[in-house]
Amino acid sequence: MTETILDVRDLRVAFGARRGEVTALRDVSFTLGRGRTLALVGESGSGKSVTSLSLMGLLPPNGRISGGQLLFTDRNGRTRDLSTLKQRDFRALRGPELSMIFQEPMSSLNPLFTIGDQIGEMLWLHVPMSDADRRKRVIEMLELVEIPAAASRVDQYPHELSGGMRQRVMIAMAIICEPRLLIADEPTTALDVTIQAQILDLMRRLQSDLGMSILFITHDMGVVAEMADDVAVMYAGAVVEEAPVDRIFDHTRHPYTQGLLASIPRPGRAHGERLVPIPGTVPPLTALPPGCAFAPRCPFSEPRCDKPVQLSRKAADHRAACILDTLPARPVPA
Amino acid sequence: MTRYLIKRLVGLVVVIFLVLTIAFIIVRLAPGDPAALMLGPDATTEDVAELRTRLGLDRPIYVQYLTFVANAAQGDLGDSLFFNAPVLEVLAARAEPTIFLALFSLIFALVIAAPIGIYAAYRHGSATDQGAISTAMLAASVPSFLTGLIFQRYLATELGWFPASGYGGPDASFLERMGHLILPSIVLGITNSALILRFTRASMLDILGEDYVRTARAKGMTERRVVLRHALKNAGIPIITVVGLTFALLVSGAVVTERVFNLPGLGNLVVNAVLRRDYPIIQGTLIVVAALYVLVNLLTDLLYLVVDKRVKL
């Protein structure tokens, strides 16, 4: 059993809206082991990004953690609840312990500072060293993320770089303090497929070099298969299934996960086999059904699904929030 | 860059030429004979005829125009009818209070408005924010002659903190003269701070929602550093723009303030010139203010270059 560095327990996040509060996360729970990659999967609006922003303490001003715990174990073995951490203490964690790369490399870098300045600032904030040493370290970092001609690129501005290069810069910035946990919020969504493959490759290599854990947020099951050790599938603000990646693909226990898998093209799929979309849309958070949130779109729903359903153990390392113990094959629409 | 500068300087010349033309036309559009108007109802026909010859009004209109432009190109904007001295000399003698009034009031407006605007944007929607916006509205709504009179009465006459009016007389030292500008600068600054405050707040508000501000926070820096380093630099361009425009407006907008505080500046000069029908002075002021306006705009654009490396000229 690997050491757990992140244990999210029953996380609830609420957003203040014009009329009352909207609950964006309903008891989200998952764990992430040291050096492992957990993929947080779900459609837009399922709460993936809200989860990651809660972990960074960067929820927008109208959002707040209304319940649960975010237990993070730092490199000194000290476990703290991030949900109750003071801003001052949180700042010290951001960078050396927790770090994040964002979806939009084009807009996530400040256009008015050189990339060397922006990467170096991360070091300046957390690691005392001379300006010359810092610059040397930044150039090394650019080489590590495979940016050609690093020594001259270091003085360029973001607008002089391509999207893939900018995401490499973001990665360099995020890992220069060698964080324990890297949160990657759809880091390749905005990139071309070939660039995407390079970035994923780079992240995997850096992970094994630095021994960091990655919380990988994506809606792309192909990326999940590529990157993840473990998977947590989210739907309408809750985790509906959590298991190692091979079990998610081969022993799916939740109809939503099954639906997600059926709706993506995969090599090895029989020729002429149809892609099956999930009917309907994610219900708005203000109008969730009383029981299982997926029931209205589920091909197997029954009257019992009207009652709330908890994440329950289906196998040793496999949990799912479904009343069914075995999942029938998904019906193919005519 | 050099190309750009040359282009802009050519533009400057074109603008000044246009202003010259307009100034020329305006004087000719005034109803009646300028010479008769200048001399007033008591003048004899001979006096009028003599003045017409002196002003060249008896020559064909295109000759008058070409002479006017040719003289202006050599820095000769004619002679003031009232002062009997070259227009440029008269303007130069009156420029000091106006330029320093504009400068001081701009500094005052910036020092007051920029920090409040930044803070209001940061605390968007809070009571501080609402208060700042309302105060700015009030400051912009009260006419500067009213603020001027109130300040003059209470801060100068009753409390005696500042000189109430004038420029200290002919023997006043530079410091004394500047002392006379403090109160007018505050009055003019208050009016203009409203615009700067609203612009600063609006552009900061935009910037604070940007992805790179979130990135900055994710790096574990203090909020102070996020706002003052990462956000403010990006909000700089719109702020520079409005400051540049305000400065140019201040030079011409100083008319009322100079009047209220009886400062011997360009504003006062031009008002008196209008009352005295001293057309050469009116023309000259028009041209100098227009040139200043274009120059300040050029400087503003050059400042963009320093702030934002994406700007290519």
Side-chain angles (χ1 to χ4, degrees):
Chain A
M1 187 63 200
T2 49
E3 176 197 351
T4 297
I5 71 155
L6 180 67
D7 185 358
V8 176
R9 292 185 189 167
D10 302 323
L11 175 64
R12 294 181 76 85
V13 171
F15 281 88
R18 204 160 295 165
R19 269 173 260 155
E21 278 194 331
V22 174
T23 306
L25 295 184
R26 302 172 292 128
D27 302 330
V28 167
S29 299
F30 57 82
T31 59
L32 174 54
R34 174 147 188 215
R36 290 179 74 84
T37 300
L38 173 72
L40 211 53
V41 188
E43 288 169 83
S44 312
S46 58
K48 304 171 308 234
S49 292
V50 173
T51 307
S52 63
L53 291 176
S54 314
L55 284 168
M56 290 298 290
L58 293 176
L59 283 174
N62 62 337
R64 63 183 186 92
I65 294 178
S66 55
Q69 289 178 303
L70 295 164
L71 300 173
F72 175 75
T73 309
D74 66 17
R75 63 183 76 239
N76 302 320
R78 192 167 152 214
T79 300
R80 275 181 288 184
D81 182 358
L82 301 181
S83 69
T84 58
L85 212 55
K86 286 198 198 80
Q87 274 302 321
R88 169 189 284 276
D89 298 325
F90 222 132
R91 279 203 293 273
L93 291 185
R94 291 184 199 132
E97 295 282 350
L98 294 164
S99 204
M100 183 156 178
I101 47 184
F102 299 95
Q103 183 172 354
E104 291 294 340
M106 307 310 263
S107 57
S108 294
L109 287 167
N110 195 323
L112 301 188
F113 295 96
T114 64
I115 58 169
D117 197 347
Q118 297 188 58
I119 299 171
E121 188 182 27
M122 185 71 130
L123 269 185
W124 182 86
L125 287 164
H126 302 287
V127 188
M129 60 168 71
S130 74
D131 288 356
D133 285 349
R134 187 161 57 243
R135 186 179 166 85
K136 224 176 90 200
R137 180 92 183 94
V138 168
I139 293 172
E140 279 170 19
M141 212 60 214
L142 288 175
E143 282 163 355
L144 192 67
V145 296
E146 292 157 1
I147 288 184
S152 58
R153 292 268 179 190
V154 68
D155 294 319
Q156 290 192 324
Y157 287 85
H159 71 273
E160 297 172 277
L161 304 174
S162 68
M165 285 294 162
R166 290 189 213 184
Q167 196 58 295
R168 286 171 195 271
V169 169
M170 285 298 293
I171 293 173
M173 191 163 80
I175 65 173
I176 197 164
C177 293
E178 304 187 357
R180 291 260 288 183
L181 170 61
L182 177 67
I183 300 170
D185 187 357
E186 310 226 20
T188 58
T189 307
L191 304 175
D192 291 345
V193 185
T194 47
I195 307 295
Q196 171 172 337
Q198 291 172 12
I199 296 285
L200 293 179
D201 212 48
L202 173 70
M203 288 182 66
R204 259 199 316 258
R205 199 168 52 72
L206 293 171
Q207 177 178 29
S208 67
D209 289 355
L210 302 173
M212 64 188 172
S213 310
I214 298 181
L215 181 65
F216 200 101
I217 291 160
T218 182
H219 62 268
D220 183 337
M221 290 307 269
V223 172
V224 171
E226 188 110 343
M227 291 297 290
D229 299 310
D230 305 292
V231 181
V233 180
M234 291 190 71
Y235 185 79
V239 173
V240 293
E241 184 165 10
E242 187 192 4
V245 65
D246 50 336
R247 286 199 60 94
I248 286 282
F249 280 90
D250 300 333
H251 301 278
T252 314
R253 287 301 178 87
H254 196 282
Y256 175 63
T257 316
Q258 189 186 40
L260 272 186
L261 291 171
S263 62
I264 54 159
R266 265 198 290 172
R269 196 183 269 275
H271 185 70
E273 195 183 324
R274 299 179 81 181
L275 293 179
V276 188
I278 303 174
T281 53
V282 184
L285 293 168
T286 46
L288 289 178
C292 169
F294 187 60
R297 302 170 74 187
C298 179
F300 315 119
S301 68
E302 345 174 338
R304 286 193 290 160
C305 297
D306 286 350
K307 297 201 176 57
V309 55
Q310 298 297 320
L311 213 54
S312 63
R313 197 168 290 274
K314 302 292 182 187
D317 47 4
H318 197 152
R319 296 188 302 159
C322 183
I323 51 170
L324 297 176
D325 277 326
T326 50
L327 211 53
R330 195 175 165 80
V332 178
Chain B
M1 177 71 194
T2 319
R3 257 182 80 96
Y4 174 81
L5 272 182
I6 292 170
K7 249 168 74 184
R8 288 297 299 258
L9 289 174
V10 169
L12 176 67
V13 171
V14 171
V15 168
I16 290 177
F17 176 75
L18 287 176
V19 172
L20 275 174
T21 310
I22 292 168
F24 178 83
I25 295 171
I26 284 177
V27 174
R28 268 75 194 168
L29 278 182
D33 183 347
L37 283 171
M38 285 173 204
L39 292 173
D42 300 332
T44 62
T45 323
E46 290 78 44
D47 287 343
V48 173
E50 195 212 306
L51 185 62
R52 282 179 65 85
T53 318
R54 213 181 96 203
L55 295 176
L57 291 173
D58 53 344
R59 285 179 289 172
I61 190 101
Y62 69 91
V63 176
Q64 291 180 34
Y65 176 66
L66 289 177
T67 317
F68 175 66
V69 172
N71 286 341
Q74 296 165 40
D76 176 11
L77 294 174
D79 289 346
S80 161
L81 301 173
F82 180 80
F83 295 99
N84 260 324
V87 166
L88 276 183
E89 263 177 39
V90 175
L91 291 184
R94 304 300 193 93
E96 185 190 279
T98 305
I99 288 173
F100 282 101
L101 176 62
L103 198 65
F104 291 160
S105 62
L106 187 66
I107 292 171
F108 177 80
L110 252 183
V111 165
I112 296 286
I116 298 179
I118 293 167
Y119 191 76
Y122 184 66
R123 292 260 174 257
H124 172 53
S126 68
T128 317
D129 182 24
Q130 305 284 344
I133 287 295
S134 317
T135 314
M137 286 280 276
L138 187 70
S141 317
V142 179
S144 57
F145 69 83
L146 185 59
T147 335
L149 290 174
I150 294 171
F151 278 23
Q152 220 170 22
R153 159 109 199 249
Y154 292 100
L155 300 182
T157 314
E158 293 198 0
L159 292 169
W161 290 352
F162 304 101
S165 81
Y167 204 43
D171 302 324
S173 69
F174 182 72
L175 269 181
E176 274 177 84
R177 297 202 298 270
M178 295 302 116
H180 278 81
L181 288 180
I182 296 176
L183 201 54
S185 300
I186 293 174
V187 169
L188 197 52
I190 285 176
T191 311
N192 289 287
S193 63
L195 187 66
I196 295 179
L197 191 152
R198 293 187 69 106
F199 251 80
T200 309
R201 177 182 174 276
S203 57
M204 275 306 273
L205 211 51
D206 273 355
I207 301 295
L208 286 172
E210 291 285 344
D211 286 349
Y212 52 78
V213 170
R214 186 183 56 188
T215 305
R217 291 203 168 104
K219 285 158 96 170
M221 66 187 78
T222 57
E223 282 297 297
R224 193 188 167 82
R225 190 174 168 89
V226 170
V227 172
L228 295 184
R229 184 174 147 95
H230 287 264
L232 185 56
K233 195 168 179 190
N234 281 281
I237 288 222
I239 297 174
I240 290 172
T241 310
V242 71
V243 167
L245 286 175
T246 310
F247 182 76
L249 288 175
L250 281 175
V251 173
S252 46
V255 171
V256 175
T257 318
E258 283 182 15
R259 204 79 194 149
V260 171
F261 287 94
N262 195 23
L263 292 169
L266 293 176
N268 235 336
L269 177 70
V270 81
V271 172
N272 288 331
V274 169
L275 296 176
R276 293 169 187 146
R277 302 189 193 285
D278 194 344
Y279 291 104
I281 291 286
I282 303 176
Q283 283 175 339
T285 317
L286 207 60
I287 292 158
V288 167
V289 169
L292 209 61
Y293 197 94
V294 179
L295 264 180
V296 168
N297 260 311
L298 175 60
L299 278 179
T300 314
D301 287 356
L302 292 180
L303 256 182
Y304 291 171
L305 270 186
V306 180
V307 176
D308 191 342
K309 294 291 181 285
R310 286 170 300 178
V311 178
K312 289 269 184 296
L313 297 179

